[in-house]
Amino acid sequence: MNIRENIPIADLTTMRLGGAARYVIDIKTEDEVAEAYAFAAQKQLPVYVLGYGSNIIGRDKGFNGVVLVNQIKGMGAQTPERTGNVELFSYSGEILDDFVTYGTKLGYSGMEAMSAIPGTVGAAPVQNVGAYGQDIAQSLVSVTAYDTKTAKFVELPKDQLDLGYRHSIFNSGSEIGRYFITKITVKLHRGQLEPPFYTSLQAYVDEHKITDYSPDSIRKCVRAVREGKLPDPLSIASSGSFFKNVYLNAEEAKAAEAKGIPVWDGGKIPSGWLIENAGLKGKEFFGMRVSDKAALVLINESAKTYADLAKARQAIIDAVYAKFGYRLEQEPMELGDESWKNWMVAN
Ligand code: EPU
């Protein structure tokens, strides 16, 4: 087990901000998971699990704890195909897009719209990642995880995970920090998505007169849509969508529509629309730029500190609130969030 000390969180995350983490351990095997938690317990330090670092933001004060960087690899078929369905598994340190590709190349549908989402497989259930009308909840069967409470590996079926919009037991509620996800199993099927597709995907399919809706073809379309507007985290510092979309109840949705604000699926306002129509698209605040291609994305052009990001965030939230009366909420998580105090490993 390789333990590194005082590593900037900026170097471990795609937004490239944040002070030092006290210890960083690369986890390559299941045995190392247990070893790393034992190390943290011995040091009496909290643990945070990182994958690709594409949806997590470091704070200036850093993290006086142990960051575990998940690099457990491997994927395959959990069960052979039965009546058009197959169960595939992936260890959690794999890149999510590699797992998506594995399924689509075999000709199975269920994850193809999640192509090119930056991040690891293990992060997918944490915030129920999704794009273009699909989320991992739709295909997930179960998650295998190390339970820090019992120091045992457990299999958690999907219905125990409380999956919702960017939400699960892993990022909300009393179980935060309890589990280290080591493996996920998904159920995919022979078949394809059928139109109408998610708005921006449909627009691409129409424009390019695509008639092949096979998983591999849809995967290529999604990649093209994403490349057109979402920055590649390897070359441009960002955390993807920086704000959540706004979800409304029926009454609020009616009121929004009456004001000419677009409401999708009976209750969702695309926050990108709010930001663009507040006149903020392409604008720069404290070294952070609102992407001129996708207003929901904040790009770190020259900000050096979390404090700059916080000021930029406040300026955007205030401007949208002043214009439309909705308070945007941040989508990425933050390393060292105080609500994670219960992460101190007890055993
Ligand atoms: N819009 C604008 N201006 C913009 C951007 C968007 O007006 O600059 C409006 C348009 O009406 C557009 C609508 O917002 O049609 C929706 O935009 P888009 O399809 O790009 O999706 P999104 O709501 O911005 C969400 C997810 C993305 C995911 C896409 C596609 C969240 C916070 N974001 O974005 O996920 O890839 O849908 O499914 O739910 C992420 O979470 O990091 C992420 C990239």
Side-chain angles (χ1 to χ4, degrees):
M1 202 169 64
N2 177 28
I3 302 171
R4 292 180 282 156
E5 275 189 71
N6 294 322
I7 304 296
I9 299 166
D11 293 349
L12 303 170
T13 51
T14 60
M15 190 62 109
R16 290 171 209 157
L17 292 176
R22 180 82 178 87
Y23 295 102
V24 174
I25 307 179
D26 295 326
I27 303 292
K28 295 187 194 300
T29 65
E30 285 169 308
D31 287 347
E32 284 180 351
V33 178
E35 263 180 69
Y37 277 97
F39 171 82
Q42 182 218 330
K43 297 271 179 204
Q44 287 287 295
L45 288 174
V47 172
Y48 187 80
V49 183
L50 262 192
Y52 197 71
S54 55
N55 201 55
I56 184 88
I57 293 170
R59 294 177 172 179
D60 294 334
K61 67 178 180 206
F63 180 58
N64 186 25
V66 183
V67 173
L68 310 185
V69 182
N70 185 350
Q71 297 176 3
I72 308 177
K73 305 277 187 198
M75 55 178 103
Q78 187 84 7
T79 60
E81 179 172 324
R82 265 187 243 117
T83 59
N85 294 317
V86 72
E87 286 187 12
L88 303 180
F89 70 85
S90 171
Y91 282 93
S92 49
E94 291 281 359
I95 297 296
L96 179 63
D97 189 54
D98 292 343
F99 189 41
V100 170
T101 308
Y102 175 59
T104 54
K105 291 280 176 216
L106 290 173
Y108 293 107
S109 176
M111 295 197 296
E112 63 272 43
M114 296 192 288
S115 294
I117 293 179
T120 52
V121 164
V126 174
Q127 56 151 352
N128 186 20
V129 303
Y132 306 102
Q134 263 179 359
D135 58 30
I136 197 75
Q138 292 168 20
S139 54
L140 193 70
V141 175
S142 65
V143 162
T144 308
Y146 178 75
D147 181 355
T148 59
K149 222 168 176 175
T150 60
K152 286 197 171 78
F153 287 89
V154 288
E155 192 169 340
L156 305 167
K158 173 169 76 174
D159 62 9
Q160 286 181 19
L161 304 181
D162 196 20
L163 296 167
Y165 171 65
R166 300 292 188 266
H167 176 281
S168 77
I169 61 160
F170 304 114
N171 71 2
S172 317
S174 60
E175 308 290 20
I176 288 182
R178 174 169 172 183
Y179 299 103
F180 181 111
I181 298 168
T182 52
K183 192 173 110 173
I184 76 167
T185 301
V186 297
K187 188 174 188 173
L188 306 180
H189 58 278
R190 285 233 173 261
Q192 59 185 35
L193 291 176
E194 294 297 342
F197 303 118
Y198 190 87
T199 310
S200 47
L201 179 58
Q202 186 68 49
Y204 182 89
V205 164
D206 291 343
E207 190 192 332
H208 295 83
K209 302 194 171 39
I210 309 274
T211 52
D212 176 1
Y213 304 149
S214 66
D216 202 39
S217 174
I218 290 295
R219 180 172 167 277
K220 289 193 182 106
C221 295
V222 167
R223 291 190 76 95
V225 174
R226 292 188 73 97
E227 269 162 26
K229 57 183 178 185
L230 293 170
D232 174 4
L234 284 181
S235 51
I236 296 174
S238 102
S239 302
S241 296
F242 189 77
F243 294 101
K244 292 185 186 181
N245 284 314
V246 177
Y247 281 78
L248 306 173
N249 63 33
E251 197 182 313
E252 292 163 339
K254 241 174 146 184
E257 276 174 327
K259 286 191 259 171
I261 296 171
V263 178
W264 290 16
D265 309 326
K268 164 183 148 182
I269 303 177
S271 294
W273 186 94
L274 295 172
I275 296 169
E276 179 169 351
N277 287 276
L280 305 176
K281 202 169 181 172
K283 289 244 165 83
E284 195 231 295
F285 302 89
F286 307 99
M288 305 292 309
R289 190 176 298 281
V290 177
S291 166
D292 59 359
K293 294 190 192 129
L296 209 47
V297 175
L298 258 191
I299 291 169
N300 178 7
E301 271 189 358
S302 58
K304 292 279 173 285
T305 63
Y306 174 90
D308 285 337
L309 169 75
K311 283 187 273 181
R313 173 178 63 204
Q314 201 57 49
I316 296 164
I317 291 173
D318 290 348
V320 167
Y321 187 76
K323 177 103 193 214
F324 296 108
Y326 299 106
R327 225 172 261 293
L328 296 182
E329 282 177 27
Q330 181 173 316
E331 199 271 312
M333 299 183 283
E334 294 188 5
L335 213 161
D337 189 323
E338 280 76 21
S339 66
W340 300 343
K341 276 199 196 94
N342 61 341
W343 284 30
M344 189 67 99
V345 182
N347 53 323

